[in-house]
Amino acid sequence: MIVALALCVTCECRAQGLPPGESAGEHAARMAWWQEARFGLFIHWGLYAVPAGSWKGNNGYGEWIRTSARIPLREYEQFTSRFNPARFDPVAWVRTAKAAGMKYIVITTKHHDGFALFNSALTDFDVMSTPFHRDIMKALADACRREGIRICWYHSIMDWHHPDYLPRREWETDRLDSGADFRRYVAYLKGQIRELLTAYGPIGVLWFDGEWESTWNTAEGKDLYAYVRSLQPSIIVNNRVGAGRSGLEGFTKAGEFAGDFGTPEQEIPATGLPGVDWETCMTMNDHWGYNSHDSACKSTADLIRMLADIASKGGNFLLNVGPTAEGVFPPEAVERLQGIGRWMDINGEGIHGTSESPFPALSWGRCTQKEIEGGTRLYLHVFTWPADGMLRLPGIFNSPMHAFLLADTARTPLSVRREENDLLISVPHMPPDTVNAVVALDVTGAADVAFPPEVSAPAPIFLDSIRVTIATGKKDVEARFTIDGNIPTSSSPLYRRPVLLTSTATITARLFRGGRPVSPPNAVTCTRVIAEPATGERGMIRGIAYSYYEGDWDSLPDFRSLRPQKEGTVPSVGIAHALTPDHFGFRFEGYVRVPVDGVYEFSIESDDGSSLSVGESLFINNDGLHGLTGRQGVAALKAGFHHLRIGYFEKTGSQELNLLWGKPGAPLTALPDSALAHRVP
């Protein structure tokens, strides 16, 4: 038996369409200030600053302390009498952000604990019930407008305090959910949003969070988005207003409502995402809310390079500070913001108003760009200064006009010469900044940069034949290719139509202009395989067997070594038979019926971890703690029944498990009940 299983992990969560009823021009105008800003300040502040990360001998908590430490509601409410930030100075906060080169501030109006930092007529669980008794959002909004900074709100959909919010935490034995009505909670949520969008003037962004629990869905998100825009049509709303975000990666799954921008959390996408607006939010240390024991601060140098990296990929950087209960920024945060500000005073031109790099990669650093009269200005963020004094810009065909250091106020020209497809810039022996020295290079026209063509096939394996396509992505070029693994030359076949392969081959493509190569090569290997034989049909009946377990795991356990709470058969793969909302797992085992010989793509989506085995091999590994995340794989299968095993576990939060299939290159659909079977013992 030859089994052909190929893991094919792809991301289907970066699609971003226009909001309903909005033209491309209207959307661009609404997003323009945010795209120009590139750098903002995130502030997580609330009652959780009072315990400062400590509870009953454990010093590792943050803004989630109420649920992480399992603090009863009445006990947590007592922090209101201790919240008195007498040293809060909104002007100082805003000026600190402004001096760092930040253009907007996003602050928690209400985090998951339900406490409001503003004067809300809808609850007593707000800042007006504290000794401080002052509307913090009003003071901060006024200070922002005086300083020319956009004020933006973070508002949690989740609420651990409101009596109608569902689901409850599983440990809240003192607070039953009987009588709770989630519809009433949504009305309350909208009521607070109305307060925030009608009493504080124009708001730049409404940054939602806490959308991943089962009570929130795509329809709720679309309705809330429309409600927000009805109150302030020009406001920008992040994708967490909906329910389709794919974990901390932060992008919305294809086909789900994506709001206005994606929200990667604590990570930076590996590559740029043309046509998709996104913003990396990140802590300076290990916590969003203030933790007095957290000394694991990122260095100023790392933060400056992260800012350049994010801007070079077309994203925004939302950098977090967690103020103390007294109302001041921790000194280590101030120190880093001041250091970033000193760098931005000199080099901010290379961040604000820039777009993503035209280069696929640069060994010495990053690049941002912006349009200038008669051409393009490239900002070359040099992390590793060239020892030979020659900064090489690879594969660029524009003519240079002027080069200079941003740190040089006189803008003394640097000499530039061409060496084949590269431009070489003569730079001083010592860099003006050892962290990130920025060289500006003006070139004629739009940046014309060599990058490899896209070579793609529906799958890496095939049975009889497969068609491979080549996309140039550029004008005035032609693609030439080989199928023997050699690098294409000017005499190699010219790509005109999809290439039909009938045997295993590596197809390599390269771009040419005027007979000269103008890109690196790119290659894809497609392997002809023998389909995995099916098993016999004898004894098969509809449905799939399952075993249900309970336990607290961070990754998939070996279910075979555990005793199940219950077992049985079900018509489809799903988790509706769980006996508890959290801390459970399922193991499904049976067969999938394949209608005809072919290559099939499977996808398993889950929150939290899951796995799929076809035959005797692990096919897709989607393990770990994460939000709704999908992983794909392809397999060559003979018509008939094939052994199928699925593992799933849920720790806390939302619960979801979906199994999809289809032909590679075509939309996947839910695996139908009619395709599932198990064998009668």
Side-chain angles (χ1 to χ4, degrees):
M1 180 195 305
I2 297 179
V3 179
L5 298 174
L7 183 62
C8 177
V9 178
T10 62
C11 178
E12 296 184 287
C13 51
R14 293 174 176 171
Q16 181 174 313
L18 292 174
E22 187 172 55
S23 69
E26 291 168 336
H27 183 74
R30 185 162 58 90
M31 298 296 296
W33 75 262
W34 183 87
Q35 292 168 340
E36 192 279 337
R38 288 295 175 229
F39 194 25
L41 177 66
F42 215 177
I43 299 175
H44 275 69
W45 201 31
L47 293 186
Y48 41 83
V50 174
S54 298
W55 187 257
K56 295 184 178 179
N58 188 322
N59 299 322
Y61 300 117
E63 70 291 343
W64 279 64
I65 190 170
R66 199 208 142 210
T67 189
S68 299
R70 301 191 171 190
I71 303 174
L73 182 59
R74 299 301 169 229
E75 197 168 349
Y76 189 81
E77 286 177 329
Q78 295 175 19
F79 289 138
T80 57
S81 63
R82 296 169 55 190
F83 188 77
N84 188 20
R87 297 174 62 192
F88 169 59
D89 183 347
V91 175
W93 280 19
V94 175
R95 288 179 177 172
T96 298
K98 185 177 181 178
M102 294 164 160
K103 297 292 187 179
Y104 59 106
I105 292 175
V106 181
I107 184 170
T108 50
T109 54
K110 182 199 77 168
H111 203 262
H112 308 328
D113 63 356
F115 176 76
L117 279 178
F118 61 100
N119 183 7
S120 176
L122 302 178
T123 182
D124 292 330
F125 195 50
D126 69 355
V127 71
M128 306 308 287
S129 297
T130 71
F132 191 64
H133 199 72
R134 178 182 169 195
D135 192 332
I136 288 170
M137 298 300 99
K138 178 70 165 60
L140 194 60
D142 290 346
C144 279
R145 293 198 175 91
R146 286 195 298 269
E147 296 294 329
I149 298 295
R150 298 261 185 171
I151 184 66
C152 310
W153 302 145
Y154 165 114
H155 201 74
S156 174
I157 292 171
M158 188 187 301
D159 193 313
W160 302 330
H161 182 271
H162 196 278
D164 286 314
Y165 179 80
L166 295 169
R168 292 282 195 267
R169 308 304 96 191
E170 78 282 357
W171 52 269
E172 287 190 283
T173 56
D174 61 326
R175 205 163 72 99
L176 303 179
D177 59 7
S178 57
D181 185 343
F182 191 73
R183 294 294 92 210
R184 283 199 302 258
Y185 172 71
V186 172
Y188 168 81
L189 173 66
K190 287 183 172 180
Q192 284 202 321
I193 289 169
R194 173 173 284 277
E195 291 177 327
L196 289 166
L197 297 185
T198 57
Y200 300 91
I203 303 303
V205 174
L206 192 44
W207 211 104
F208 286 107
D209 195 21
E211 82 294 355
W212 55 83
E213 295 200 296
S214 57
T215 42
W216 198 252
N217 56 46
T218 297
E220 297 279 9
K222 287 182 176 180
D223 178 71
L224 187 57
Y225 178 91
Y227 181 72
V228 169
R229 296 277 315 278
S230 74
L231 297 172
Q232 290 203 21
S234 296
I235 200 169
I236 296 169
V237 184
N238 71 337
N239 65 335
R240 301 189 188 193
V241 67
R245 177 168 59 105
S246 185
L248 295 183
E249 184 189 55
F251 294 97
T252 299
K253 191 181 165 192
E256 298 285 350
F257 181 65
D260 294 321
F261 65 92
T263 51
E265 183 172 327
Q266 302 285 42
E267 61 184 62
I268 302 171
T271 61
L273 306 169
V276 176
D277 289 309
W278 58 276
E279 173 190 73
T280 283
C281 57
M282 188 174 291
T283 56
M284 279 195 191
N285 50 21
D286 290 337
H287 296 85
W288 297 99
Y290 178 63
N291 180 302
S292 61
H293 297 271
D294 187 351
S295 59
C297 267
K298 300 172 181 69
S299 69
T300 302
D302 284 345
L303 293 171
I304 289 171
R305 289 184 174 182
M306 286 177 180
L307 174 59
D309 184 30
I310 291 166
S312 77
K313 295 169 180 175
N316 282 20
F317 191 18
L318 189 61
L319 182 60
N320 184 74
V321 171
T324 69
E326 292 73 32
V328 297
F329 289 177
E332 59 272 19
V334 174
E335 177 188 353
R336 281 153 179 79
L337 291 175
Q338 289 173 342
I340 296 170
R342 288 190 292 271
W343 184 87
M344 288 288 283
D345 285 343
I346 296 169
N347 302 290
E349 176 189 334
I351 299 295
H352 296 140
T354 61
S355 57
E356 65 269 18
S357 173
F359 298 92
L362 293 167
S363 61
W364 39 258
R366 302 291 186 269
C367 175
T368 57
Q369 63 174 325
K370 65 176 62 168
E371 185 178 341
I372 60 172
E373 185 177 353
T376 303
R377 177 163 293 171
L378 302 173
Y379 297 96
L380 312 178
H381 298 257
V382 186
F383 301 167
T384 305
W385 199 250
D388 62 358
M390 300 302 296
L391 183 66
R392 182 178 293 271
L393 199 57
I396 181 168
F397 304 102
N398 305 77
S399 296
M401 296 191 294
H402 181 49
F404 58 93
L405 292 166
L406 288 189
D408 179 6
T409 56
R411 301 204 162 182
T412 306
L414 302 173
S415 65
V416 186
R417 65 180 175 86
R418 177 165 293 283
E419 187 177 277
E420 296 184 347
N421 293 341
D422 302 347
L423 289 178
L424 274 69
I425 307 170
S426 180
V427 296
H429 178 67
M430 294 298 294
D433 190 299
T434 57
V435 173
N436 180 3
V438 182
V439 177
L441 172 64
D442 295 345
V443 298
T444 58
D448 184 10
V449 173
F451 53 85
E454 181 180 348
V455 185
S456 57
I461 58 176
F462 65 96
L463 293 184
D464 300 314
S465 65
I466 192 169
R467 294 184 184 275
V468 180
T469 59
I470 301 171
T472 65
K474 294 176 68 67
K475 297 179 180 179
D476 306 321
V477 296
E478 60 185 23
R480 294 186 178 272
F481 68 94
T482 63
I483 59 173
D484 57 6
N486 289 324
I487 304 299
T489 66
S490 58
S491 60
S492 297
L494 180 65
Y495 177 79
R496 299 181 185 277
R497 63 185 62 85
V499 180
L500 180 67
L501 299 179
T502 57
S503 59
T504 298
T506 296
I507 183 166
T508 307
R510 195 175 191 185
L511 300 183
F512 289 77
R513 180 184 291 156
R516 294 180 57 243
V518 292
S519 83
N522 195 16
V524 163
T525 298
C526 296
T527 304
R528 183 168 180 171
V529 298
I530 298 173
E532 178 183 354
T535 190
E537 298 187 13
R538 189 167 185 171
M540 295 288 187
I541 60 174
R542 291 275 290 271
I544 190 166
Y546 79 92
S547 301
Y548 169 78
Y549 306 82
E550 291 181 357
D552 187 357
W553 309 291
D554 292 332
S555 60
L556 282 165
D558 181 0
F559 287 122
R560 294 169 300 179
S561 65
L562 303 177
R563 182 186 298 274
Q565 260 69 33
K566 63 174 182 175
E567 297 176 300
T569 59
V570 287
S572 60
V573 175
I575 53 177
H577 295 277
L579 302 178
T580 177
D582 296 306
H583 303 123
F584 67 87
F586 278 93
R587 185 174 188 265
F588 298 90
E589 186 161 7
Y591 296 84
V592 57
R593 185 179 183 276
V594 171
V596 296
D597 295 1
V599 174
Y600 290 83
E601 181 174 4
F602 291 82
S603 174
I604 188 165
E605 303 172 339
S606 64
D607 178 356
D608 289 293
S610 59
S611 66
L612 170 66
S613 295
V614 176
E616 301 305 316
S617 302
L618 177 65
F619 184 27
I620 302 175
N621 184 357
N622 193 19
D623 200 4
L625 295 173
H626 49 67
L628 183 62
T629 301
R631 294 288 184 269
Q632 293 76 42
V634 293
L637 305 172
K638 285 278 191 181
F641 288 95
H642 294 266
H643 196 198
L644 188 71
R645 290 191 308 278
I646 298 160
Y648 170 83
F649 82 95
E650 163 62 23
K651 190 174 178 73
T652 59
S654 183
Q655 315 93 22
E656 192 161 354
L657 175 65
N658 303 309
L659 185 58
L660 312 174
W661 76 336
K663 289 298 184 73
L668 302 184
T669 59
L671 188 70
D673 295 356
S674 59
L676 293 173
H678 65 285
R679 197 185 296 274
V680 177

